[in-house]
Amino acid sequence: MLQSIFGSTSSTPLPRPTSQYQPLPEDDDGGEDYPDVHTPLRSASPLKSSKAVDNSYGDAAAEMLIKLGRDPDAHIVISPADDARILRRIDLALLPIMLSVYFLQALDKATLSYASVFGIIDDTGLKGDQFSWLGSIVFLAIMVMQPPLALALVKLPIGKLTSFMVMGWGLTLVAMTWAHNFRMLMIARFLLGAFEASIGPSFVAITQMWWRRREQTIRMGSWYCMNGMTWVFGSLITYGLASINSPLKPYQIIFLFFGSVTVAVAVVIFFWMPDSPTEAKFLSDEDKVIAIQRLRDNQMGIMSREWRSAHVYETLTDPKTWFWVAMIFCISVPSNGISLFGSLILDSFVSNPYHTMLFNVPVGLSHITAVIGSAWLAMKWKLKGPVIALMCIPPIIGCSILLHFPHDKENWAILLTGYFCLSTFAGITPLIFSWSAHNTAGDTKKKSTSALIFISSSAGNILGPLLYSPDEAPGYSRGLAANLIFYILIIFLVVGTSIYLHRLNQQHSHRRLALGKNPVLVDMSLETAEEIERIGGTARSNQGGIMRDRSNGDNGTFSGSSTVEAHGEAGTQADKAFMDLTDLENEDFLYVF
């Protein structure tokens, strides 16, 4: 059944390349002459050559390059114009889908918050902490689904898998329209979480397999800021839907409308979203080569379709895995607590429920500003940790304000200011996602690490709403005080993670030196094509160029003293890019602070 839907799902490892590649042309003096990317690609059939391909490749990108007659280890020249052209095609093909899906997922999660304003608690007879459990049960389902989804994301075509999961949650949301008691709501919300569980890990994996490390932060920020768009447009759409005269309750109309739209989008995803760069119909063979070569400096590969138990073991024993897990837990607790109870906190000093809904518009805009602003700053600085720590400061101030002042109409201005200060928490989660993604390699390890991160995120999201209780309204002091502590803990975790990554870079540098390699490596995955060309010429930059020594803790600037010969030892840096090695196995992998 799965084979007929998804294609091959066999546990047989991806076949190692056995064909031969056409040797690259050599110039008169014996030096390499880099091929132009516009040269027509050779036949995919086995080619006669004096050079045989090493059978150790474990990535689909290497297999495709060999089938097209290319050497997986060879660098090609990519001009800034071609780089921009391919990036634009990828963005136009994938980002609209990803933005739409994440927007709908955020809407689906927010519908319960909207429904609370329009009477679902009274209509369905919810008592005590039952409403809190409706928020937490979604994340319990997400947590339970992560291990099998990690396996599925390695084995199955990611585009088809995503479309089926989106279809499932859309149908569940439609069915939730007629849920009229706690039991029915709990079942619907659990199914909703089970189907939505794949979206976050899938989107992290898609971002890793399509974009360079420099580009990933902004792309992750763009689809994650759909949470803020939900607060803006979701609130406006909900306001309009709730105003419709109908036998249905306002929240029933909300469930039915958003569920129907989600089902329609799932159909589009099935027919349009590609499963990997090697299978993208919107790219020609020549453009696929460029798309793959753009990712070489990431040292992460693309996909393998082979589950490696050794990668799982390394994931569990790698200390930085648990740094990401701890950080995402600490931000998820306040994130979901505020998301679910934010409207009720606003309602404590804003009397009209329709005004409460409209106040979510500027809150959503502040979320978007925080996500995009923090992503841009992290890309500009080429650093994640300091930006995360910086983004924790406004929420610390906001929690302090909301804890200090009584929640009444007289203090509405200062309370609203404190509430808006909480908004920058939205920029922290995508930075943690991208920080982890930038520092993890190996297909199975990437998926396993992602699973643990989303399990931790789900655990935090489960706990978050439970720290708030309607009995503590309007102050919700227990929840806000806990949030304050978690924001402070994140800052300490950032410091510990940065120190550990610095140590790993030093260890890799020592390993390279012991192997006779240059200990200082090129790190062009964080630079634009224009910057690479400006630094020293495209060929020189790809094979040697200007070096950045992150193990020495510099600020990411380039120094002429770090230059090596273009065809020197550093030319082997990308030889392991498509071997499906983990970041710890590959001594050429550079960690990003």
Side-chain angles (χ1 to χ4, degrees):
M1 174 81 176
L2 283 175
Q3 258 187 323
S4 64
I5 296 175
F6 291 107
S8 176
T9 61
S10 170
S11 59
T12 303
L14 192 72
R16 301 295 192 195
T18 57
S19 62
Q20 295 177 314
Y21 64 85
Q22 183 71 28
L24 299 175
E26 297 183 357
D27 56 25
D28 294 337
D29 60 4
E32 281 190 348
D33 183 16
Y34 296 97
D36 186 274
V37 294
H38 295 299
T39 303
L41 293 169
R42 299 171 176 85
S43 170
S45 60
L47 300 171
K48 294 181 180 180
S49 169
S50 60
K51 294 183 180 180
V53 171
D54 188 345
N55 291 342
S56 62
Y57 298 106
D59 195 271
E63 184 190 21
M64 195 208 78
L65 289 172
I66 292 170
K67 287 181 178 179
L68 294 175
R70 297 294 179 110
D71 177 4
D73 292 336
H75 296 259
I76 65 171
V77 175
I78 302 176
S79 69
D82 280 326
D83 185 87
R85 177 176 61 84
I86 297 302
L87 176 60
R88 185 166 53 251
R89 285 192 179 183
I90 293 171
D91 284 342
L92 290 176
L94 298 183
L95 279 181
I97 296 176
M98 297 174 74
L99 298 181
S100 299
V101 171
Y102 213 85
F103 178 71
L104 287 170
Q105 184 196 39
L107 271 177
D108 293 347
K109 289 179 179 176
T111 50
L112 187 63
S113 180
Y114 299 148
S116 68
V117 178
F118 293 106
I120 192 172
I121 294 177
D122 293 332
D123 291 347
T124 56
L126 300 182
K127 299 176 182 179
D129 60 358
Q130 288 182 336
F131 181 73
S132 296
W133 272 109
L134 290 178
S136 296
I137 193 64
V138 170
F139 299 98
L140 179 61
I142 292 174
M143 182 168 61
V144 170
M145 288 292 292
Q146 288 310 310
L149 280 172
L151 178 63
L153 287 172
V154 172
K155 291 288 189 180
L156 301 180
I158 198 167
K160 304 300 184 296
L161 176 64
T162 301
S163 68
F164 274 89
M165 300 300 274
V166 173
M167 175 68 73
W169 101 56
L171 293 173
T172 301
L173 193 59
V174 169
M176 193 170 160
T177 303
W178 293 278
H180 58 266
N181 57 42
F182 176 67
R183 182 187 174 197
M184 295 177 69
L185 286 172
M186 281 287 282
I187 293 172
R189 294 284 291 176
F190 182 87
L191 292 175
L192 197 64
F195 286 119
E196 290 182 0
S198 72
I199 302 306
S202 295
F203 280 15
V204 171
I206 290 169
T207 306
Q208 287 175 310
M209 78 164 58
W210 282 95
W211 285 280
R212 299 172 65 234
R213 288 205 290 187
R214 173 185 174 84
E215 301 154 357
Q216 289 175 10
T217 305
I218 290 292
R219 272 67 187 180
M220 285 190 186
S222 67
W223 51 258
Y224 192 84
C225 79
M226 291 299 101
N227 285 315
M229 295 293 286
T230 299
W231 288 71
V232 178
F233 294 104
S235 297
L236 294 175
I237 295 171
T238 301
Y239 183 90
L241 292 173
S243 302
I244 295 175
N245 290 323
S246 169
L248 296 175
K249 300 284 187 180
Y251 56 83
Q252 291 178 309
I253 297 175
I254 293 169
F255 294 157
L256 184 60
F257 176 80
F258 289 137
S260 300
V261 172
T262 302
V263 169
V265 170
V267 177
V268 176
I269 297 170
F270 182 84
F271 290 105
W272 181 252
M273 177 172 276
D275 297 312
S276 76
T278 64
E279 303 165 73
K281 295 179 181 179
F282 63 88
L283 295 175
S284 65
D285 284 345
E286 290 88 347
D287 287 345
K288 287 177 183 177
V289 171
I290 300 175
I292 290 171
Q293 291 289 343
R294 289 179 72 253
L295 305 176
R296 183 179 291 278
D297 287 331
N298 287 355
Q299 293 287 317
M300 295 179 180
I302 294 178
M303 69 173 187
S304 70
R305 297 275 168 85
E306 179 180 354
W307 182 262
R308 302 179 189 272
S309 298
H311 286 201
V312 179
Y313 177 79
E314 184 177 303
T315 301
L316 296 174
T317 56
D318 187 351
K320 62 183 167 59
T321 299
W322 303 106
F323 276 117
W324 315 130
V325 166
M327 264 190 281
I328 203 70
F329 177 82
C330 288
I331 189 55
S332 297
V333 172
S335 176
N336 194 40
I338 290 296
S339 295
L340 191 59
F341 279 84
S343 296
L344 297 177
I345 292 175
L346 273 175
D347 198 45
S348 67
F349 51 90
V350 178
S351 56
N352 190 314
Y354 286 92
H355 292 169
T356 298
M357 194 63 62
L358 292 177
F359 262 119
N360 285 329
V361 175
V363 171
L365 291 174
S366 64
H367 283 189
I368 295 169
T369 302
V371 172
I372 297 301
S374 62
W376 179 86
L377 198 58
M379 183 184 70
K380 188 73 174 176
W381 289 355
K382 303 181 182 71
L383 297 168
K384 300 291 186 299
V387 181
I388 292 173
L390 186 65
M391 298 300 288
C392 288
I393 295 175
I396 289 173
I397 296 172
C399 286
S400 301
I401 290 174
L402 291 173
L403 284 168
H404 180 73
F405 290 92
H407 287 231
D408 52 37
K409 304 302 183 290
E410 287 75 18
N411 294 311
W412 72 270
I414 185 64
L415 290 171
L416 193 59
T417 301
Y419 188 77
F420 274 101
C421 284
L422 300 179
S423 301
T424 61
F425 79 80
I428 298 173
T429 301
L431 285 181
I432 297 173
F433 287 160
S434 64
W435 203 12
S436 167
H438 284 185
N439 290 290
T440 308
D443 194 23
T444 303
K445 185 177 181 181
K446 287 188 290 187
K447 306 308 191 295
S448 300
T449 300
S450 222
L452 288 174
I453 288 173
F454 280 93
I455 287 173
S456 179
S457 175
S458 299
N461 281 305
I462 290 171
L463 177 61
L466 298 179
L467 295 176
Y468 294 82
S469 173
D471 298 336
E472 295 183 350
Y476 299 103
S477 58
R478 182 180 61 173
L480 291 171
N483 292 354
L484 180 62
I485 294 171
F486 282 118
Y487 288 125
I488 296 172
L489 282 175
I490 291 172
I491 296 176
F492 285 101
L493 288 168
V494 163
V495 174
T497 305
S498 299
I499 293 172
Y500 183 66
L501 293 176
H502 171 78
R503 181 186 172 195
L504 287 178
N505 270 345
Q506 288 182 321
Q507 290 176 352
H508 276 199
S509 180
H510 294 155
R511 285 175 60 192
R512 292 192 295 271
L513 186 61
L515 291 170
K517 298 182 178 182
N518 195 307
V520 183
L521 283 185
V522 176
D523 184 8
M524 292 300 175
S525 68
L526 299 178
E527 307 299 333
T528 65
E530 291 81 6
E531 288 168 339
I532 293 173
E533 186 176 61
R534 176 176 55 80
I535 289 165
T538 309
R540 177 168 173 269
S541 297
N542 274 290
Q543 286 284 345
I546 306 298
M547 300 303 186
R548 180 196 297 112
D549 186 0
R550 286 190 170 273
S551 65
N552 290 334
D554 66 17
N555 60 3
T557 60
F558 290 90
S559 169
S561 63
S562 298
T563 306
V564 299
E565 291 298 320
H567 301 290
E569 294 168 327
T572 62
Q573 177 192 358
D575 290 349
K576 298 182 177 180
F578 302 128
M579 293 179 66
D580 196 27
L581 297 177
T582 69
D583 53 280
L584 294 180
E585 292 172 336
N586 183 2
E587 70 276 359
D588 295 331
F589 189 92
L590 286 175
Y591 295 95
V592 181
F593 302 154

